[in-house]
Amino acid sequence: MGRDFVYVILGGGVAAGYAALEFAKKGVSHGELCIISDEPVAPYERPALSKGFLHPEAPARLPGFHTCVGANEERLTPTWYTKHGIELMLGTRVEFVDTRSKTLHTTTEFITYKFLIIATGARALKLEEMGINGSNAENVCYLRDLGDATKLVKMMRMCRGGNAIVLGGGYIGMECAASLVMNKINVTIVFPGSHCSKHF
């Protein structure tokens, strides 16, 4: 059995949360909009994961950084979505999208839509994509979502006084490096250029 929506947003990050806020401001009707995310929590401000979430003292935690606090708007908690009649399908993976018939299939049902917004964002490169084995090693961390950040915090607590290598000299790499240092971990940053991100 399937369900019908006018609008479906794939992804549970910053773009999904801010899009939902704009839909609500424009008066989207209850039951017209659905957000599908494979994460178990409502959309949140991902930049917090490489900043406040990693701080050793008074770290940021949900619901403190649900969207749209980054723009000084109201915090969109799960209750907000319910109040505005926006369906949250959390912990749900989309297996197939048929753009001709405007249907998508999750692990449990199929959904039809009139308009599909793909807001899945980027993903972190795995070590194997760089020709290195070991992506799933216990001491290898990525930073893309809340689960990744939670694992990184656990590793930092276990490794105080130890050493870490950060691959990447952009914003996220530099912010992670700073957070590791704040957590009393020695850091080496590896990046392909002659200097860190030109934005610094």
Side-chain angles (χ1 to χ4, degrees), residues 48-50 53-54 61 142-156:
L49 298 180
S50 59
F53 195 87
L54 302 180
R61 293 293 182 264
Y142 298 91
L143 190 56
R144 168 69 177 89
D145 59 29
L146 190 61
D148 292 340
T150 301
K151 178 183 176 182
L152 182 54
V153 167
K154 178 182 173 185
M155 293 301 297
M156 288 191 302

Side-chain angles (χ1 to χ4, degrees), residues 15-51:
Y18 281 85
L21 179 63
E22 290 305 312
F23 272 108
K25 286 179 178 179
K26 299 291 184 188
V28 69
S29 297
H30 282 228
E32 284 189 338
L33 173 60
C34 173
I35 296 175
I36 303 174
S37 173
D38 63 355
E39 290 199 71
V41 295
Y44 56 89
E45 303 278 353
R46 288 193 195 278
L49 298 180
S50 59
K51 298 179 179 70

Side-chain angles (χ1 to χ4, degrees), residues 162-179:
N163 300 304
I165 296 173
V166 174
L167 297 181
Y171 280 118
I172 295 172
M174 296 299 288
E175 288 171 350
C176 282
S179 294

Side-chain angles (χ1 to χ4, degrees), residues 19 30-31 51 54 68 75 82 85 93 95-96 150 174 180:
H30 282 228
K51 298 179 179 70
L54 302 180
C68 295
R75 183 179 297 129
T82 301
R93 183 172 287 275
E95 296 183 329
F96 179 75
T150 301
M174 296 299 288
L180 287 161

Side-chain angles (χ1 to χ4, degrees), residues 168-170 174 189-198 200:
M174 296 299 288
I189 304 172
V190 178
F191 50 91
S194 58
H195 59 277
C196 293
S197 173
K198 64 182 179 181
F200 294 103

